[in-house]
């Protein structure tokens, strides 16, 4: 008598920040209001690290000769 068969665990999906969220982030950044940007990022905790990395990359590109 065979034991119960187990269903395999579903594959974990990798979270990716939606393009709409990235676009909204750049809109918020263009307000030049640090308090608003910080509050907006706090409201998007899953995306915060990714968005800050994008921002830092863009800053490096602008400073490159």
């Amino acid at each position: 008598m065979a034991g119960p068969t187990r269903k395999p665990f579903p594959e974990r999906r990798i979270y990716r920040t939606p393009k709409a969220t990235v676009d909204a982030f750049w809109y918020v950044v263009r307000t030049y209001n640090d308090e608003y940007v910080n509050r907006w990022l706090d409201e998007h905790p899953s995306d915060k690290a990714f968005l800050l990395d994008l921002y830092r990359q863009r800053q490096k590109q602008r400073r490159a000769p």
Side-chain angles (χ1 to χ4, degrees), residues 1-2 9 11 14 17 19 23-25 28 34 37-38 41-42 45-47 50 55-56 58 61 64-65:
M1 177 174 199
F9 287 107
E11 288 186 37
I14 297 173
T17 300
K19 183 177 182 331
D23 292 343
F25 170 71
V28 170
D34 292 342
V37 172
N38 287 326
L41 284 169
D42 287 342
S46 298
D47 306 307
F50 175 76
Y55 180 80
R56 290 181 190 117
R58 182 168 288 184
Q61 289 174 351

Side-chain angles (χ1 to χ4, degrees), residues 47-64:
D47 306 307
K48 188 174 185 176
F50 175 76
L51 295 170
L52 287 173
D53 284 344
L54 281 180
Y55 180 80
R56 290 181 190 117
Q57 288 174 11
R58 182 168 288 184
Q59 294 298 6
K60 283 182 184 178
Q61 289 174 351
R62 289 184 177 185
R63 292 181 187 159

Side-chain angles (χ1 to χ4, degrees), residues 26-42:
W26 290 122
Y27 174 82
V28 170
V29 167
R30 286 192 300 272
T31 66
Y32 299 102
N33 183 331
D34 292 342
E35 184 179 315
Y36 180 41
V37 172
N38 287 326
R39 187 173 64 243
W40 191 91
L41 284 169
D42 287 342

